[in-house]
Amino acid sequence: MWKNRNVWIILTGEFVAGLGLWLGIIGNLEFMQEKVPSDFVKALILAGGLLAGVAIGPLAGRLTDQGSKKKIMLISSVVRALSVLFMFVAIETGSVLWMVVFLVFLQGSAAFYFPALQAAIPLIVKERELLALNGVHMNVSTLSRVIGTAIAGILLTLISLRDVYALSLVAYLLLAVATWFLNIDETTTPSARKVDTKSSGGFKDVFPIIKSIPVIFMTLVMTLIPLLFIGGFNLLVINISELQDSTAIKGWIYTAEGIAFMVGAFVIKRIGEKFSVFSILFTFSFLIGIAQLMLYFADIPVVSIAAFVLFGFSVGCFFPTAVTIFQTRMPKDYHGRFFSFRNMLDRIVFQVVLLVTGFFLDLIGLQLMVVLFGVSSIAMTASFLVYTRKHKLYIETDETERISS
């Protein structure tokens, strides 16, 4: 895998683009802090960009299946870079409206780029290398998040906000250049065949496939379990900081979780060689629920950090495994629409969980809420485990899934 030029291009592009993304995110927060006094309005502004990505999801998925993955990644990378120009206008005019335009174009381009990327990865490596590449790819993304946020925080004290966005623009342009050098064999994909556009109407063509392959449906639903934690992650950290009356604990939690995630994504290949994907999914899904329950003792610094370490390691193993199942079991003709649908689903669930987390924190408090979430995660995992054993659901080494009952 490491001798594959495409792998290095994908990983380098992800790292550089990740730096640009997090430079922009920190810049967004800085700009809104100056121009938008209301936290609720800030949330609405950020949600507007996410909703734009959700709205364009069906079109992005269909075009990804019908067209060249490389071209879609390249065009979306260029659009992402051009979107930064709207932010320059926002800074010059002090207009929040131009920032909204920037977020709409940014999230719209992401709605095309990420499904195309997930559909392209199985085309550049062998199937047995997918789990390792997905793990490394997520590690690179996490590393760019850690470094990007740190660099952005330092740069904002040294240079202007406009210069921070200029660096973000450079990063996106470098991603476009890296994408240009990709060499993907798409001769066996729908873009190389004549796809019946009448039957490629969007997500409605994907739903029967998901339903007909129980492994995909089950994994798709199980990915919602870590989102119960991720959706309210920042709110949890803030509340733990207040509970312990410690500002420093926030840094320790973010650092510990990030490192644990990278360790999990690094070792998942070795774990995958010894255990089945079912064992991995269910084990780490249970551990995510346990990590939530551990936060009942969030007033104890060591326990709270340990909970986030357990969560970070668990999702570092869980997500690469889930993505590999999707890439190998979903027919390649539907990769674009499926990953676009999954991306849209994640965005919607993330927003819902964020609102629910805020509501429960106000209503019942942190400790009772994490017990509720933890019990829900464990109960959901247990129900799927019973289902798979009852119907003898399993993944074969070939391209078929069966249910024997």
Side-chain angles (χ1 to χ4, degrees), residues 200-274:
S200 300
F203 294 158
K204 65 181 181 181
D205 297 328
V206 177
F207 297 147
I209 304 298
I210 295 175
K211 185 178 179 180
S212 66
I213 308 178
V215 169
I216 292 180
F217 176 76
M218 181 199 71
T219 307
L220 187 64
V221 177
M222 286 189 68
T223 58
L224 302 181
I225 293 174
L227 288 181
L228 277 177
F229 202 122
I230 296 172
F233 193 98
N234 292 329
L235 291 179
L236 290 175
V237 174
I238 292 172
N239 272 264
I240 291 172
S241 175
E242 293 174 350
L243 187 65
Q244 298 183 12
D245 192 23
S246 170
T247 302
I249 192 65
K250 292 199 290 285
W252 284 108
I253 287 175
Y254 281 118
T255 301
E257 188 275 337
I259 293 174
F261 180 93
M262 288 189 287
V263 172
F266 180 77
V267 302
I268 184 57
K269 183 178 184 298
R270 292 184 178 274
I271 296 175
E273 292 172 352
K274 298 179 180 180

Side-chain angles (χ1 to χ4, degrees), residues 231-232 235-236 239 351-365 369 373:
L235 291 179
L236 290 175
N239 272 264
Q351 293 299 312
V352 172
V353 170
L354 179 60
L355 294 174
V356 170
T357 300
F359 174 76
F360 278 128
L361 285 172
D362 289 338
L363 183 66
I364 61 177
M369 186 199 72
F373 281 9

Side-chain angles (χ1 to χ4, degrees), residues 98-333:
W98 281 109
M99 179 183 184
V100 174
V101 176
F102 159 68
L103 290 173
V104 168
F105 274 87
L106 183 71
Q107 294 294 339
S109 63
F112 279 91
Y113 180 83
F114 290 108
L117 174 64
Q118 291 297 331
I121 286 177
L123 302 178
I124 67 174
V125 295
K126 298 175 182 178
E127 183 172 322
R128 66 175 183 272
E129 298 171 335
L130 275 176
L131 185 59
L133 180 55
N134 285 323
V136 173
H137 183 262
M138 290 185 180
N139 257 345
V140 170
S141 178
T142 303
L143 187 62
S144 67
R145 168 168 63 90
V146 174
I147 296 177
T149 51
I151 291 177
I154 295 172
L155 289 179
L156 284 173
T157 64
L158 301 175
I159 61 178
S160 68
L161 186 60
R162 180 185 178 88
D163 290 337
V164 170
Y165 280 105
L167 292 175
S168 180
L169 171 61
V170 171
Y172 292 147
L173 290 175
L174 290 175
L175 172 63
V177 172
T179 304
W180 176 269
F181 288 101
L182 279 175
N183 183 20
I184 304 175
D185 181 11
E186 301 189 54
T187 57
T188 59
T189 64
S191 60
R193 303 192 298 267
K194 293 184 178 180
V195 179
D196 183 1
T197 55
K198 293 182 179 180
S199 65
S200 300
F203 294 158
K204 65 181 181 181
D205 297 328
V206 177
F207 297 147
I209 304 298
I210 295 175
K211 185 178 179 180
S212 66
I213 308 178
V215 169
I216 292 180
F217 176 76
M218 181 199 71
T219 307
L220 187 64
V221 177
M222 286 189 68
T223 58
L224 302 181
I225 293 174
L227 288 181
L228 277 177
F229 202 122
I230 296 172
F233 193 98
N234 292 329
L235 291 179
L236 290 175
V237 174
I238 292 172
N239 272 264
I240 291 172
S241 175
E242 293 174 350
L243 187 65
Q244 298 183 12
D245 192 23
S246 170
T247 302
I249 192 65
K250 292 199 290 285
W252 284 108
I253 287 175
Y254 281 118
T255 301
E257 188 275 337
I259 293 174
F261 180 93
M262 288 189 287
V263 172
F266 180 77
V267 302
I268 184 57
K269 183 178 184 298
R270 292 184 178 274
I271 296 175
E273 292 172 352
K274 298 179 180 180
F275 301 96
S276 69
V277 291
F278 275 150
S279 298
I280 294 172
L281 284 180
F282 286 116
T283 297
F284 289 108
S285 184
F286 272 119
L287 290 178
I288 289 171
I290 292 174
Q292 290 171 315
L293 292 176
M294 288 174 63
L295 288 178
Y296 180 79
F297 304 100
D299 56 323
I300 305 174
V302 175
V303 177
S304 59
I305 292 175
F308 279 93
V309 168
L310 180 60
F311 172 74
F313 182 81
S314 297
V315 293
C317 295
F318 183 96
F319 278 129
T321 305
V323 171
T324 301
I325 291 174
F326 295 145
Q327 291 171 336
T328 56
R329 304 307 148 188
M330 172 62 68
K332 288 185 172 59
D333 292 19

Side-chain angles (χ1 to χ4, degrees), residues 5-6 8-14 16-17 68-78 80 113 116-117 120 171-184 186:
R5 187 173 70 110
N6 286 325
W8 286 102
I9 292 174
I10 289 288
L11 295 179
T12 302
E14 175 65 28
V16 173
S68 166
K69 278 69 174 171
K70 175 182 175 179
K71 287 182 180 179
I72 290 174
M73 291 169 64
L74 182 59
I75 293 173
S76 61
S77 297
V78 173
R80 191 190 300 191
Y113 180 83
L117 174 64
Y172 292 147
L173 290 175
L174 290 175
L175 172 63
V177 172
T179 304
W180 176 269
F181 288 101
L182 279 175
N183 183 20
I184 304 175
E186 301 189 54

